[in-house]
Amino acid sequence: MKKSALITGATSGIGAACAQIFAANQYDLIITGRRSEKLEEVKKHIESSYPVHVTTLCFDVRNREETIASLNSLPDTKKNIDILINNAGLAVGVSPIDEGSFEDWDRMIDTNVKGLLNVSKTVIPWLKNQEAGHIVNIGSIAGKEVYPNGNVYCASKHAVDALSQAMRIDLVKHGIKVTNIAPGMVETEFSLVRLYGDENKADQVYVGFDPLTANDVAETIWFCASRPAHVNIADVLILPTAQANAVTVVRK
Ligand code: NDP
Ligand code: 8X3
């Protein structure tokens, strides 16, 4: 039977790159995001490139009712997914803790932590029914270390790290694998979003070194997803060669 993957935040960056790689490996896809036109673009591109079917679901992971209703609107046959990639997420703002805004903090916590929980709580029963499956949570190096002005984003990704460990413990008896992926600096729309759409500032983030590409991360996720049934890659920290930790990047 054909395999399928549910990927949140597949309208750009790491999520869109995962859609591409899983489709290239014959997975049918369910892709989600808030920008419906981007979702349709990804679907069109993938379906014209690979013999797979792509279902799009447009919702904001922060909206619990909408998330649950949208995911549950799938027919039972499409709920037989093999892998959930909890990728939707963002950072907003770079400021010391006393200067951050409540609004930015809410966006990060509501998306990265509560959004991931909204999706997971809805999908885990589908995997339990199968007594098999794989959840890949996209954490970050920001979930392993804390860096200046990263405060709430780092806290949200530390929460993802903890949830990956917790899910692994609670779901192991159901044969469900859980993988935490913790990338360093990846050039996507991430910095544009974090820096409120300022393209010049966002470009500066990646000047003088080769950052990871979305495809580098997606290939790592595919490696984890394609291991034999008895192998679970629990946690992967993946960095650009020029980055040693959250604050040490060599720029030329
Ligand atoms: P992008 O901004 O390119 O992609 C983020 C994706 O998340 C988009 O598809 C966006 O879709 C989706 N998204 C954001 N907010 C919501 C929401 N409220 N509801 C639904 N979907 C949402 O960034 P990346 O690809 O880099 O980010 C993907 C993940 O990787 C994030 O969790 C990020 O924290 C993590 N990460 C990124 C790193 C980096 O350096 N880039 C490093 C480490 C981790 P839409 O706007 O259409 O809703
Ligand atoms: C994104 C990577 O270093 O900006 O999670 O926190 S970093």
Side-chain angles (χ1 to χ4, degrees):
M1 220 174 77
K2 213 153 175 205
K3 292 194 166 186
S4 68
L6 166 47
I7 306 167
T8 68
T11 54
S12 70
I14 296 168
C18 284
Q20 185 79 21
I21 289 191
F22 279 76
N25 285 283
Q26 282 83 51
Y27 275 59
D28 282 337
L29 303 176
I30 301 158
I31 57 171
T32 85
R34 291 165 301 177
R35 290 172 290 178
S36 57
E37 69 294 346
K38 289 261 181 194
L39 278 175
E40 292 313 314
E41 264 175 43
V42 173
K43 173 182 164 77
K44 201 169 154 198
H45 171 70
I46 285 180
E47 287 186 339
S48 63
S49 309
Y50 308 105
V52 300
H53 185 265
V54 180
T55 304
T56 60
L57 294 178
C58 188
F59 62 86
D60 186 327
V61 295
R62 290 173 295 178
N63 184 324
R64 181 166 295 148
E65 287 70 35
E66 194 187 28
T67 300
I68 295 169
S70 184
L71 289 168
N72 278 332
S73 73
L74 290 167
D76 284 347
T77 48
K78 289 218 166 116
K79 290 179 182 161
N80 280 338
I81 61 163
D82 295 277
I83 182 162
L84 162 65
I85 303 179
N86 271 321
N87 166 75
L90 79 183
V92 199
V94 189
S95 25
I97 192 74
D98 52 315
E99 291 172 23
S101 84
F102 284 122
E103 196 194 348
D104 290 350
W105 294 354
D106 283 346
R107 278 182 71 191
M108 289 186 274
I109 292 168
D110 290 350
T111 308
N112 300 351
V113 185
K114 294 167 74 179
L116 180 145
L117 287 169
N118 293 338
V119 172
S120 301
K121 169 102 170 131
T122 311
V123 170
I124 286 169
W126 310 349
L127 303 179
K128 274 176 70 178
N129 272 344
Q130 302 164 192
E131 285 292 305
H134 195 169
I135 299 173
V136 176
N137 292 329
I138 309 304
S140 170
I141 191 170
K144 306 284 185 192
E145 296 176 42
V146 179
Y147 53 83
N149 302 326
N151 42 68
V152 175
Y153 178 65
C154 294
S156 75
K157 289 298 185 177
H158 273 69
V160 173
D161 199 280
L163 286 169
S164 294
Q165 295 177 53
M167 285 181 183
R168 204 175 301 118
I169 293 165
D170 294 345
L171 300 178
V172 67
K173 60 179 173 290
H174 300 292
I176 298 170
K177 302 185 190 187
V178 180
T179 299
N180 189 72
I181 301 283
M185 296 170 84
V186 192
E187 189 165 10
T188 60
E189 293 180 13
F190 177 83
S191 289
L192 195 61
V193 172
R194 182 175 219 175
L195 299 166
Y196 310 105
D198 186 327
E199 287 183 18
N200 288 331
K201 277 193 188 162
D203 287 345
Q204 289 304 309
V205 174
Y206 307 108
V207 164
F209 75 106
D210 285 332
L212 294 172
T213 64
N215 192 56
D216 293 326
V217 180
E219 281 182 343
T220 304
I221 294 167
W222 170 250
F223 177 82
C224 297
S226 56
R227 293 309 85 210
H230 68 287
V231 179
N232 178 35
I233 312 265
D235 203 337
V236 181
L237 176 65
I238 169 172
L239 302 174
T241 302
Q243 180 175 18
N245 63 19
V247 292
T248 310
V249 179
V250 175
R251 297 175 196 260
K252 299 226 160 87

